[in-house]
Amino acid sequence: MNILLFIGPPGSGKGTQAILIHQELDIPHISTGDILRDAVKENSELGKKAKKYMDAGDLVPDDIMIGIIRERILKEDCRNGYILDGFPRTTLQGEALEKMLDDNNQSITRVFYIDVEDEVLVKRILGRQTCPQCGAVFNKYFQPPQEEGICDNCEFKLITRTDDNEQSIQNRLKKYKANTLPLINHFKEKDLLVNIDGSQTIEDAKNQILSYLER
Ligand code: AMP
């Protein structure tokens, strides 16, 4: 059973890698960012609460996030493992996850820490465009679609996330350094951390991750 965590700053490519590994291993890909964005789209109670934090680049409060994950990982499709993308993001979320797993005699298999320098991150985020239909991710600067603004796979119009703007990005990076970096040290001490250079090609990063999973 693989319980895999993908952690990294915004724009590091953790979501892209999590999707690729989900396709390879055929276990659910649980992205807290996607769950929240869906809730915002549906204008549910969760969505209404989360939107203001997300747009400002702030973290959604821990109790909300822990509740979401607690419910999600108990679902039937998670019984053979899963990938968490974007959770945990704070020490408190990390402790809560470890406790939930402990209570079920489970534990984290590996934590993939995908890192990229700040300058590249900002350009990646500002250029990011996603397909609302199939979830494919493109980048205006680094990986443009064949036709500007249109998804290569399903020809849907690409969208830019409302939180992918300069002000929000700077805040997200600040919050990431303050809240998430300590968590990374925690996993390092527990010998669970694998460092992945997020500035290499998508394919190389994927192969590096797979090589760790085969060990
Ligand atoms: P992401 O798609 O992972 O970059 O997440 C987008 C936004 O959703 C973040 O900037 C946060 O506002 C919120 N979010 C996602 N996951 C979490 C989490 N584990 N804890 C707190 N906020 C989160």
Side-chain angles (χ1 to χ4, degrees), residues 14 32-33 36-37 54 58 60 65 86-87 89 93 161:
K14 68 179 162 39
T32 43
L36 294 171
R37 276 183 290 279
M54 294 171 79
D58 286 332
V60 174
M65 299 313 302
F87 184 97
R89 247 174 163 105
Q93 291 179 16
R161 283 167 42 169

Side-chain angles (χ1 to χ4, degrees), residues 8-11 14-15 31-37 50-62 64-66 69 85-90 93 128 161 163-164 168 172 175:
K14 68 179 162 39
S31 153
T32 43
D34 285 349
I35 293 173
L36 294 171
R37 276 183 290 279
K51 188 171 173 20
K52 60 176 189 295
Y53 296 104
M54 294 171 79
D55 283 348
D58 286 332
L59 291 178
V60 174
D62 284 332
I64 298 181
M65 299 313 302
I66 292 166
I69 288 299
D85 162 11
F87 184 97
R89 247 174 163 105
T90 65
Q93 291 179 16
R128 180 155 68 183
R161 283 167 42 169
D163 59 346
D164 281 350
S168 162
R172 276 150 74 197
K175 292 280 147 67

Side-chain angles (χ1 to χ4, degrees), residues 70-82:
R70 177 168 288 128
E71 209 177 290
R72 181 64 188 88
I73 63 176
L74 284 178
K75 294 214 166 130
E76 181 62 17
D77 64 341
C78 289
R79 71 184 184 286
N80 292 326
Y82 47 87

Side-chain angles (χ1 to χ4, degrees), residues 4-181:
L4 307 175
L5 271 49
F6 282 73
I7 299 185
S12 60
K14 68 179 162 39
T16 302
Q17 291 301 329
I19 291 171
L20 292 171
I21 301 304
H22 143 78
Q23 288 162 350
E24 291 282 340
L25 301 186
D26 198 23
I27 51 175
H29 163 230
I30 303 171
S31 153
T32 43
D34 285 349
I35 293 173
L36 294 171
R37 276 183 290 279
D38 285 345
V40 170
K41 235 190 280 168
E42 287 160 12
N43 204 23
S44 66
E45 280 311 307
L46 169 65
K48 282 182 212 157
K49 267 191 228 158
K51 188 171 173 20
K52 60 176 189 295
Y53 296 104
M54 294 171 79
D55 283 348
D58 286 332
L59 291 178
V60 174
D62 284 332
D63 56 333
I64 298 181
M65 299 313 302
I66 292 166
I68 292 173
I69 288 299
R70 177 168 288 128
E71 209 177 290
R72 181 64 188 88
I73 63 176
L74 284 178
K75 294 214 166 130
E76 181 62 17
D77 64 341
C78 289
R79 71 184 184 286
N80 292 326
Y82 47 87
I83 296 169
L84 290 181
D85 162 11
F87 184 97
R89 247 174 163 105
T90 65
T91 305
L92 213 97
Q93 291 179 16
E95 285 168 1
L97 176 67
E98 285 175 329
K99 170 94 179 43
M100 283 179 230
L101 296 177
D102 221 29
D103 289 346
N104 286 315
N105 287 322
Q106 294 172 339
S107 56
I108 296 165
T109 314
R110 279 197 194 280
V111 179
F112 292 103
Y113 170 38
I114 307 191
D115 199 18
V116 182
E117 53 185 273
D118 283 9
E119 244 175 74
V120 179
L121 290 176
V122 171
K123 214 166 168 194
R124 278 192 182 176
I125 299 174
L126 287 179
R128 180 155 68 183
Q129 293 180 310
T130 51
C131 174
Q133 177 74 2
C134 71
V137 183
F138 299 89
N139 189 290
K140 269 195 278 194
Y141 307 112
F142 302 122
Q143 203 198 343
Q146 280 167 8
E147 191 182 337
E148 202 186 312
I150 303 292
C151 178
D152 286 353
N153 305 330
C154 56
E155 298 186 355
F156 244 71
K157 196 168 180 296
L158 299 173
I159 54 168
T160 299
R161 283 167 42 169
T162 52
D163 59 346
D164 281 350
N165 60 69
E166 182 86 44
Q167 201 186 356
S168 162
I169 291 163
Q170 295 302 343
N171 193 32
R172 276 150 74 197
L173 284 174
K174 206 169 92 194
K175 292 280 147 67
Y176 169 78
K177 284 176 187 156
N179 297 295
T180 312
L181 280 182

